[in-house]
Amino acid sequence: MGLKKTQDPSKFEVPENNYRLDRRADDVEPQDDMMKNSYSSHSGGGGGGMTADISDYNGGHNGNALANNATSSSSSSSISSIPPTLLLATLYASISGLLFGYQMGITGGALHSLISSMGLTSSQAESVSSFFFIGLMVASPFGGYACDRLGRRSSILYTDGVFTLASLVLFFAQNYNSILAGRFIAGCASGVSLIAAVSYISELASAEHHHAHRGALVSTVEASVSLGFLVSYLAAYGMTVYLDYEEGWRLLFGAGTFFLALVQWIGMSKMPESPEWLAEKGFHDKAHAALRRITPRNLRDNEDSSLAGRLAEAEAEVRGRSSEQ
């Protein structure tokens, strides 16, 4: 503490301190506002300030936990709100992506046995790989026309038949030209099937209540392409390690393609056609029935999501697209 000199040098004046010294140490109260706040927040009420801080922390922590639980439960309820028919239709249509990825990836695993079995040269082996992409390039421009002409679901069913034809040609191939023909046919089927699958899922999801799941459902086709690569690598690995079969390429090219196409055909034959395509072609009763199949039971009689209103929206969208063309 500093001492202040007065007029009388024999007397000194002690300045006032920020603290009242006439109290006990426990009762010291800071006069400065900042010190008051600090003191009261840490020592007021026998530690009540720290208790309040801990309570605030616990409250905030519990609030974050409740928010996270609410987000998780809302995500789960969102997934569970998708109609089962729509989920199955998405699953079966996504096999088109699986077939595409399988056809691209299986070549690397089958070429070794194919070269040793058929005695192919390096240029011929490259042609086996490239003919699939040639068929893909040739057929893809006609995929949209096939979907508009035959229907989205029907186009997928027809391409399953083409996949079956390709698998039989490859499985029973006796020469190099037959292998090229089978790969070309498989490429053509993939080109149309991918377009039909994306159009089919997109239109079903658009007709679904509030269009809430369209992005997630359509992206399953792209995810299935990656899954197809994985399946082809696993199949080739199993054929190489567990089956010492000189003509294993027949099973990889033929049997694998046939199995996937058969599963998709069986599943898609039980699914509804796109309501939007049915409305465009004037099949209003069938469009209404298709909408009912992809609508949850608890929403079928709700005025806000009336089937008639949604069918009218689909027809209006079709008319708007036709007028733009």
Side-chain angles (χ1 to χ4, degrees):
M1 296 185 297
L3 298 178
K4 184 177 180 182
K5 190 174 181 180
T6 62
Q7 295 177 355
D8 187 354
S10 63
K11 296 181 180 181
F12 294 90
E13 183 180 84
V14 180
E16 263 185 278
N17 198 345
N18 285 333
Y19 295 88
R20 299 179 190 175
L21 300 180
D22 58 342
R23 295 189 179 186
R24 295 179 304 167
D26 295 340
D27 296 330
V28 171
E29 294 183 0
Q31 301 301 312
D32 185 72
D33 292 339
M34 182 179 296
M35 297 182 70
K36 281 184 179 180
N37 294 335
S38 176
Y39 180 81
S40 62
S41 64
H42 289 87
S43 60
M50 295 183 67
T51 305
D53 291 342
I54 295 173
S55 300
D56 292 342
Y57 171 78
N58 291 335
H61 182 72
N62 294 334
N64 292 334
L66 291 174
N68 293 334
N69 292 336
T71 303
S72 301
S73 59
S74 63
S75 300
S76 302
S77 61
S78 177
I79 294 175
S80 62
S81 65
I82 302 177
T85 303
L86 182 57
L87 282 176
L88 287 175
T90 302
L91 176 65
Y92 289 128
S94 297
I95 297 179
S96 295
L98 187 64
L99 279 163
F100 176 70
Y102 180 84
Q103 292 297 324
M104 292 182 64
I106 201 61
T107 307
L111 276 182
H112 178 71
S113 62
L114 179 61
I115 292 174
S116 61
S117 174
M118 302 291 291
L120 302 181
T121 64
S122 58
S123 61
Q124 288 176 330
E126 292 173 358
S127 297
V128 172
S129 300
S130 60
F131 259 65
F132 170 78
F133 296 100
I134 294 175
L136 191 70
M137 180 181 63
V138 170
S140 294
F142 301 98
Y145 174 79
C147 290
D148 291 337
R149 181 77 176 179
L150 304 173
R152 284 57 163 146
R153 168 180 166 273
S154 299
S155 296
I156 296 175
L157 292 175
Y158 281 120
T159 55
D160 287 331
V162 179
F163 272 121
T164 302
L165 175 62
S167 66
L168 294 176
V169 171
L170 289 167
F171 187 82
F172 295 106
Q174 299 297 321
N175 51 53
Y176 169 68
N177 292 331
S178 299
I179 297 173
L180 293 183
R183 292 290 290 169
F184 178 82
I185 295 172
C188 293
S190 292
V192 177
S193 181
L194 271 179
I195 297 174
V198 173
S199 300
Y200 179 72
I201 298 176
S202 177
E203 292 180 2
L204 280 188
S206 297
E208 189 257 340
H209 187 61
H210 292 325
H211 309 181
H213 312 97
R214 178 166 53 187
L217 295 177
V218 174
S219 63
T220 57
V221 177
E222 183 177 355
S224 297
V225 174
S226 302
L227 181 61
F229 276 99
L230 177 61
V231 171
S232 66
Y233 294 152
L234 292 177
Y237 176 79
M239 182 65 63
T240 303
V241 175
Y242 299 105
L243 291 178
D244 187 13
Y245 183 42
E246 183 180 359
E247 295 188 344
W249 60 271
R250 296 184 184 275
L251 296 177
L252 295 175
F253 278 138
T257 303
F258 176 80
F259 174 76
L260 292 175
L262 180 63
V263 171
Q264 187 180 41
W265 186 87
I266 293 175
M268 288 300 298
S269 62
K270 301 176 182 179
M271 295 295 106
E273 180 58 88
S274 165
E276 186 173 327
W277 182 82
L278 291 171
E280 179 181 1
K281 297 301 180 181
F283 303 117
H284 303 291
D285 293 338
K286 293 182 178 180
H288 190 274
L291 280 174
R292 287 187 62 85
R293 293 190 61 183
I294 62 174
T295 302
R297 294 179 181 273
N298 59 337
L299 296 177
R300 289 179 182 176
D301 299 327
N302 193 339
E303 294 181 358
D304 296 333
S305 59
S306 63
L307 299 177
R310 286 157 61 198
L311 182 59
E313 290 179 4
E315 293 175 352
E317 185 176 351
V318 171
R319 288 194 298 268
R321 192 166 59 241
S322 302
S323 63
E324 290 178 358
Q325 295 176 352

